[in-house]
Amino acid sequence: MTGADIQRFAEEHRLSGAVRHGNTLYLAGQVADDASLDTEGQTADILRQIDALLAEAGTDKTRLLSVQIFMTDITEIDSMNRAWDAWMDHDHKPARATVEARLVNPDWSVEITAIAAI
């Protein structure tokens, strides 16, 4: 197997925003560009970024297989779910887990990672 079958998107200093291997796309943890937003706003911002990464790799949210959501305060799940429900394709729901966790930046309230089919 060579590196030619691996494609990287949105590369940064320490990571790639997404990595494609074969017909599978793995998204790194995505966080809001504007950490001053509330939980719903941060979630909507992250989902916008996910849409962009999926499109760049040639897929979309209907092809999501698995999503993991990390929240600093699980009592804010209703706020997060408002943005999620407005964004999600209800005919193509991915497997999903939501957990409470401490994030690297204390201003972030949500981080989302996912796996999608191409």
Side-chain angles (χ1 to χ4, degrees):
M1 189 175 294
T2 68
D5 62 336
I6 298 173
Q7 189 176 12
R8 300 174 199 291
F9 302 89
E11 290 188 69
E12 298 179 14
H13 177 67
R14 290 190 174 94
L15 58 90
S16 295
V19 177
R20 178 182 180 169
H21 179 253
N23 290 324
T24 306
L25 183 70
Y26 303 88
L27 274 67
Q30 304 298 310
V31 295
D33 287 333
D34 183 354
S36 70
L37 296 170
D38 63 9
T39 298
E40 185 175 353
Q42 285 194 30
T43 303
D45 183 38
I46 294 164
L47 296 172
R48 176 193 54 76
Q49 293 174 50
I50 288 173
D51 276 336
L53 281 169
L54 293 171
E56 185 177 355
T59 192
D60 62 47
K61 64 187 168 190
T62 67
R63 307 280 293 159
L64 284 169
L65 303 172
S66 176
V67 174
Q68 294 180 339
I69 302 172
F70 304 92
M71 301 183 65
T72 56
D73 181 358
I74 203 71
T75 66
E76 289 289 311
I77 195 165
D78 290 341
S79 295
M80 184 278 298
N81 275 329
R82 276 192 296 277
W84 174 267
D85 290 343
W87 173 81
M88 182 186 68
D89 184 313
H90 292 269
D91 291 329
H92 300 93
K93 299 176 206 75
R96 187 184 109 172
T98 306
V99 299
E100 186 174 60
R102 187 169 37 179
L103 303 181
V104 171
N105 181 336
D107 294 331
W108 293 333
S109 60
V110 180
E111 183 169 351
I112 302 175
T113 186
I115 301 170
I118 302 292

